[in-house]
Amino acid sequence: MSPPNTPRLESRLPAVGTTIFTVMSALATQYQAVNLGQGFPDFACDPALVNEVTRAMQAGHNQYPPMPGVAALREAVAAKIEGLYGRSYRALDEITITAGATQAIFTAVMALVHPGDEVIVLEPCYDSYQPNIVLAGGVVVRVPLTPGGFRPDFAKIAAALGPKTRAIIINTPHNPSGTVWSEAEMLALQDLLAPTNVFVISDEVYEHMVFDGAQHQSVARFPGLAARALIVSSFGKTYHVTGWKVGFVAAPAALTTEFRKVHQFNVFTVNTPVQHALAAYMADAKPHTQLPAFYQRKRDLFRHGLAKTAFKLLPCQGTFFQCADISEVSDLNETEFCEWLTRKIGVAAIPMSALYADGFDQRVVRFCFAKEDATLHAALERLQSL
Ligand SMILES: Cc1ncc(COP(=O)(O)O)c(C=O)c1O
């Protein structure tokens, strides 16, 4: 008897391989490098938050929650958005709790994009956007952020808009560059989209990491954008619990209805005790209001150390990423440099080219400074030879 055959598979994502984050983390482990590659904290979250999860489990919150999320958490999110950005979203039909921002973005793309629709992404960008669009049968339209400055280029965005454009995905504060859109830039986008039927998916997972007294310009502040937008955020980034994978989407009721149609057959519901815990924890605003100062201090510590090397530092207005130009440090390309840095110097970073579909190389790498001070000092000590 012939052995059973696995049918030949035609990949839905033929161009996708193992992500650079997985590759670099594995290399970091192999060479015992300080891992400033992947974007997650190496410190513990607030024990009070963990206690809230225990309390919720012991109180019996262990079965399916309502499909859109635990009401108390949706109410806490709505209150926070209104307090910070002055826009009122109804917890009932305009806020949905998701399994992190990645699922929220995937679900938003599936809900909006029909086969053949064009979706604009601004490169470099978070690596899930483009495969999401492809899986929905959409066409990715890549528009570069300005070279070196990583600001939105409105002439290029305007040129990319057309009758087939269904949506644009924006991200501020921006991973990987650390730029934060200004009010003027948000207004420019609002004006540009006003005569169109284009939706906005606004990835705001770093909303609470904006430095030097600047304000996060949420889409929620701009009525013309908010009316056409699904705003995505993540508790993982804000509360140092990236492994919990809980986030939310805020959108006008008509958009939320379509979003929830996909959501209910995608994940249906999200971890119940964690939702109750987050709702209770959000009663205190300090964890998010103190976050800019917390990360700004780490940013300054890291920049101060890196300034003594031949790396050229790019501005970091927000997020927990610091980008650096390597052209005075090495002749290698970004990927080769990151591999060399991990193996020979013992520090892992991410090549920015990994966040461009065509691998555009501009001699810039990204370090994550969401790390214990001791971790940052250890990395800086190793980098001082450069
Ligand atoms: C820009 C951006 N969007 C979304 C995410 C994913 O968030 P979550 O872990 O909640 O899925 C990340 C995580 O690195 C990110 O950097």
Side-chain angles (χ1 to χ4, degrees):
M1 214 166 66
S2 56
N5 270 339
T6 301
R8 203 176 62 80
L9 193 67
E10 203 177 322
S11 176
R12 300 282 321 270
L13 295 170
V16 170
T18 312
T19 74
I20 188 72
F21 306 100
T22 308
V23 172
M24 291 310 303
S25 285
L27 207 62
T29 308
Q30 190 185 341
Y31 287 90
Q32 291 174 3
V34 182
N35 191 355
L36 305 188
Q38 214 169 351
F40 62 88
D42 72 344
F43 43 83
C45 70
D46 185 347
L49 182 53
V50 175
N51 289 342
E52 291 292 358
V53 179
T54 307
R55 222 192 316 270
M57 286 179 172
Q58 286 171 341
H61 295 301
N62 297 306
Q63 307 307 329
Y64 294 131
M67 182 273 283
V70 166
L73 182 56
R74 282 182 283 134
E75 279 153 21
V77 167
K80 180 167 73 99
I81 294 176
E82 182 157 21
L84 289 174
Y85 311 129
R87 184 172 181 85
S88 163
Y89 286 91
R90 280 190 307 273
L92 180 71
D93 56 0
E94 296 187 318
I95 304 280
T96 309
I97 306 303
T98 63
T102 311
Q103 181 249 313
I105 296 162
F106 178 75
T107 302
V109 169
M110 286 295 158
L112 293 179
V113 178
H114 294 250
D117 286 353
E118 293 179 358
V119 181
I120 296 173
V121 298
L122 307 179
E123 281 195 318
C125 60
Y126 184 58
D127 59 349
S128 78
Y129 301 165
Q130 301 193 34
N132 287 181
I133 297 162
V134 171
L135 286 172
V139 177
V140 180
V141 177
R142 300 177 187 93
V143 175
L145 294 164
T146 56
F150 302 101
R151 313 256 23 132
D153 183 332
F154 290 104
K156 289 212 167 88
I157 298 172
L161 285 169
K164 289 191 175 167
T165 311
R166 178 72 66 184
I168 179 170
I169 306 180
I170 64 169
N171 170 219
T172 178
H174 181 241
N175 172 13
S177 73
T179 52
V180 171
W181 285 34
S182 66
E183 184 183 14
E185 286 167 332
M186 297 302 283
L187 288 169
L189 183 70
Q190 182 170 256
D191 286 350
L192 189 61
L193 298 185
T196 73
N197 285 317
V198 172
F199 295 102
V200 175
I201 298 173
S202 184
D203 181 343
E204 303 185 13
V205 300
Y206 300 103
E207 63 179 317
H208 299 299
M209 297 167 208
V210 174
F211 309 135
D212 307 315
Q215 281 191 327
H216 170 54
Q217 298 298 333
S218 173
V219 151
R221 294 182 190 270
F222 302 88
L225 289 174
R228 59 177 76 240
L230 293 122
I231 298 173
V232 177
S233 192
S234 172
F235 298 104
K237 306 288 179 187
T238 304
Y239 298 135
H240 316 310
V241 287
T242 57
W244 289 10
K245 297 298 288 186
V246 182
F248 65 84
V249 166
L255 286 182
T256 296
T257 300
E258 288 307 309
F259 179 88
R260 288 182 182 175
K261 283 184 193 174
V262 180
H263 178 79
Q264 70 181 340
F265 296 122
N266 179 2
V267 290
F268 179 48
T269 57
V270 174
N271 190 306
T272 308
V274 166
Q275 290 194 59
H276 282 278
L278 288 166
Y281 192 69
M282 284 179 76
D284 182 4
K286 280 201 295 299
H288 72 256
T289 56
Q290 293 178 346
L291 208 58
F294 174 81
Y295 273 123
Q296 184 170 326
R297 195 190 60 77
K298 287 192 182 291
R299 177 200 67 172
D300 293 346
L301 184 163
F302 189 58
R303 283 179 71 89
H304 182 73
L306 224 50
K308 296 178 197 151
T309 69
F311 284 107
K312 217 161 71 214
L313 296 177
L314 272 61
C316 171
Q317 302 174 308
T319 74
F320 46 47
F321 300 115
Q322 173 63 54
C323 290
D325 185 312
I326 61 170
S327 43
E328 298 295 313
V329 184
S330 167
D331 291 330
L332 297 172
N333 72 32
E334 291 174 7
T335 305
E336 289 165 350
F337 177 78
C338 286
E339 284 168 9
W340 174 84
L341 195 70
T342 309
R343 284 201 178 95
K344 300 290 181 202
I345 305 295
V347 177
I350 295 291
M352 194 175 270
S353 51
L355 300 173
Y356 287 87
D358 66 358
F360 174 59
D361 194 304
Q362 58 201 309
R363 325 294 317 287
V364 172
V365 301
R366 188 198 79 180
F367 296 100
C368 172
F369 57 78
K371 305 293 169 189
E372 296 274 17
D373 288 3
T375 311
L376 296 175
H377 285 302
L380 287 169
E381 212 175 282
R382 295 176 181 202
L383 293 169
Q384 288 312 304
S385 61
L386 301 178

